[in-house]
Amino acid sequence: MTNLYLDTLQTKKEMDKCLQCPSKPCMHACPAHVSPKDFIATAKNNKWREAAQLINEQNPMGEICGLICPDTFCMKACVRSKIDAPIQIPALQALIMHKARLENINLQTNGIKPNGKKIAVIGSGPAGCAATAKLLKNGFSVTVFEKDNVVGGALNLIPQARLPREIVTYEWQRLAQNPLLELKLNCPVTDYPALLQNGYAGVVVAIGEQKPRSLNIDGEEFATLYTDYLSEPQQYMTDQPIAVIGGGAVAVDCAVTAKNQGAAHVEMFVRRGVDNMRITSAERQSLHENAIEITAMTRPLKIEKQNNDLILWTTKTRFNSEGKLEDVPNTATMRTGFKHIVLALGSTRKEDINEQPHIIYAGDIVLGGSTAVQAIADGKKAAQKLMACLVE
Ligand SMILES: Cc1cc2nc3c(=O)[nH]c(=O)nc-3n(C[C@H](O)[C@H](O)[C@H](O)COP(=O)(O)OP(=O)(O)OC[C@H]3O[C@@H](n4cnc5c(N)ncnc54)[C@H](O)[C@@H]3O)c2cc1C
């Protein structure tokens, strides 16, 4: 596994690059409103605990975001990029929070008086976590209902090489030190208004996108959903070829995981062109480094199973005069010999949003497939909105 954290020399080099811009463009570009200018200045003065506190005040999943945030927020805004290269801000944040975790530094806000009101948070992904942290800081008692037997939501699908699971658990454990928090695992909730009748003053619904997208083609039942594949990749370990359908970040994680697990050949089938793939430069690089083959401008037509092999039928695609994708006639092709075909098209919401007074939705269920830091920002916003309703 590559080292996830900066070493001492890299840390110093990155921190020394900070120009301490008074207008804090990095903070304004962070959806969670973390201020890199301030945490870097604090850490540079050897005040690691205080730096961690600054991050944690705005983002209860600081180490996670440090490890997985794309370079499209704070780094994109970093003025240093006009001189040489942007500061590796997320990596610095990850390191500061990593130090705090290793030293088990208490980052709780002390002396908060319980206000006697109880809130239910449904879902323990980033949005639920951020809403919980904000409500606890304001003296609310919070019960988190999580349908799965682990906390973290979609974060648990991110390959461990990028995000070790223990960090996800730890961020929740830190919050759970607060006696006002009750965490209920294996506890799905669907009737949100009923909670209001059962002693809860408000509900934050942060259930993410729970329905993997499908292709609606014949033989789809022979394919493996990305959620199943990434939950337990070792179950699908093979040295035979694997096909991944999809061209986004989730598909990249599936393809790289397959390669890391020893698949001889991993091929992504993408409807659009390689240049149109909605992935970051780091994801592009990882496809290149792992020798993942990309078959672009291609749409799957059907999947067949023959003995132990899967067969993928595809057609070529093109953009028509209106800029819409269409099939190119007479280009059906049969590809044989796949051990697994992974459907990695992302997910969509399983239920409609039905916001009511005191029932606020947050995170990916509202935003569509976003990023952890955007879900965190939205969870904070939902908590704020709920608190405003409760004082009215
Ligand atoms: C493979 C993959 C890779 C990703 N890579 C990145 C990345 O590199 N960087 C990045 O920033 N983001 C990444 N993301 C996106 C990020 O994980 C999501 O944007 C974020 O997790 C969304 O947070 P959320 O809280 O809205 O929803 P989720 O994380 O989906 O959490 C929802 C939670 O609600 C629970 N739940 C659902 N229904 C119920 C119910 N009825 N009752 C109780 N609980 C319920 C679920 O079990 C889950 O725990 C990735 C996502 C995936 C799938």
Side-chain angles (χ1 to χ4, degrees):
M1 190 191 284
T2 52
N3 196 353
L4 287 174
Y5 302 96
L6 299 174
D7 64 26
T8 313
L9 267 182
Q10 291 167 323
T11 305
K12 183 172 175 347
K13 187 176 152 233
E14 292 301 317
M15 292 204 298
D16 284 348
K17 277 166 70 181
C18 184
L19 302 170
Q20 289 292 301
C21 310
S23 60
K24 304 187 187 183
C26 46
M27 180 188 79
H28 295 295
C30 172
H33 226 62
V34 171
S35 174
K37 170 194 183 261
D38 293 314
F39 76 66
I40 291 173
T42 311
K44 259 184 98 167
N45 278 333
N46 242 346
K47 294 183 178 166
W48 295 94
R49 169 199 289 261
E50 290 82 353
Q53 261 158 348
L54 284 177
I55 296 164
N56 190 61
E57 252 164 47
Q58 297 298 337
N59 185 342
M61 291 189 154
E63 185 171 358
I64 293 172
C65 287
L67 291 174
I68 66 167
C69 258
D71 56 7
T72 46
F73 299 116
C74 55
M75 276 180 71
K76 197 168 174 199
C78 179
V79 170
R80 190 75 205 200
S81 59
K82 292 185 185 139
I83 303 172
D84 41 24
I87 301 168
Q88 302 282 320
I89 298 170
L92 284 175
Q93 177 173 310
L95 180 82
I96 292 166
M97 297 312 290
H98 179 60
K99 276 177 180 282
R101 178 164 62 90
L102 292 187
E103 290 168 27
N104 211 5
I105 291 176
N106 179 9
L107 298 173
Q108 298 281 332
T109 320
N110 295 321
I112 293 165
K113 284 208 180 88
N115 65 19
K117 291 194 177 117
K118 218 163 86 168
I119 306 289
V121 171
I122 321 295
S124 68
C129 178
T132 301
K134 183 138 194 119
L135 290 161
L136 290 173
K137 264 185 220 154
N138 284 277
F140 289 88
S141 296
V142 181
T143 309
V144 176
F145 296 92
E146 168 54 56
K147 75 169 170 54
D148 287 346
N149 62 359
V150 285
V151 286
L155 297 175
N156 293 306
L157 297 175
I158 297 180
Q160 299 239 33
R162 295 207 290 124
L163 179 63
R165 292 291 172 276
E166 71 259 22
I167 304 178
V168 181
T169 322
Y170 180 84
E171 306 269 38
W172 268 105
Q173 276 168 355
R174 188 166 48 210
L175 277 183
Q177 286 166 8
N178 189 324
L180 293 177
L181 173 62
E182 187 186 7
L183 192 51
K184 291 188 168 189
L185 298 179
N186 300 308
C187 221
V189 175
T190 44
D191 187 351
Y192 315 128
L195 291 167
L196 298 177
Q197 313 302 319
N198 281 302
Y200 291 97
V203 183
V204 176
V205 183
I207 59 175
E209 291 192 299
Q210 297 296 316
K211 196 169 143 199
R213 284 179 204 277
S214 60
L215 280 168
N216 295 320
I217 58 168
D218 286 345
E220 196 159 343
E221 67 275 15
F222 299 126
T224 306
L225 291 175
Y226 79 92
T227 41
D228 294 333
Y229 184 72
L230 290 174
S231 300
E232 289 186 284
Q234 62 286 358
Q235 300 272 348
Y236 302 92
M237 203 184 266
T238 178
D239 57 2
Q240 292 169 49
I242 291 191
V244 176
I245 315 287
V250 168
V252 174
D253 271 339
C254 292
V256 173
T257 301
K259 204 59 196 263
N260 286 341
Q261 295 213 119
H265 176 77
V266 181
E267 189 168 345
M268 285 171 77
F269 290 85
V270 183
R271 268 186 347 133
R272 296 165 172 273
V274 174
D275 291 346
N276 306 119
M277 286 168 71
R278 292 188 189 111
I279 55 177
T280 61
S281 48
E283 284 158 350
R284 248 172 230 287
Q285 193 181 333
S286 129
L287 288 178
H288 181 69
E289 283 168 2
N290 286 284
I292 310 290
E293 191 169 328
I294 302 172
T295 301
M297 302 307 291
T298 301
R299 183 175 79 82
L301 289 175
K302 68 175 168 179
I303 300 170
E304 291 172 342
K305 188 167 183 172
Q306 209 171 60
N307 303 321
N308 267 337
D309 273 353
L310 295 176
I311 299 168
L312 180 65
W313 285 87
T314 62
T315 178
K316 295 313 286 176
T317 56
R318 67 185 172 202
F319 286 100
N320 65 19
S321 54
E322 288 162 13
K324 290 199 175 132
L325 271 177
E326 63 179 20
D327 293 351
V328 181
N330 306 319
T331 55
T333 306
M334 184 180 81
R335 295 289 311 278
T336 58
F338 292 112
K339 180 70 183 172
H340 302 296
I341 297 178
V342 182
L343 277 195
L345 304 165
S347 288
T348 173
R349 70 168 84 107
K350 208 173 177 178
E351 59 187 77
D352 288 337
I353 292 178
N354 181 16
E355 201 152 293
Q356 299 169 34
H358 302 191
I359 300 182
I360 314 287
Y361 287 71
D364 271 9
I365 184 164
V366 181
L367 305 169
S370 68
T371 56
V373 72
Q374 287 169 298
I376 282 165
D378 207 48
K380 285 166 68 176
K381 204 170 97 190
Q384 195 64 50
K385 195 167 165 188
L386 188 55
M387 290 189 292
C389 293
L390 293 173
V391 292
E392 269 170 10

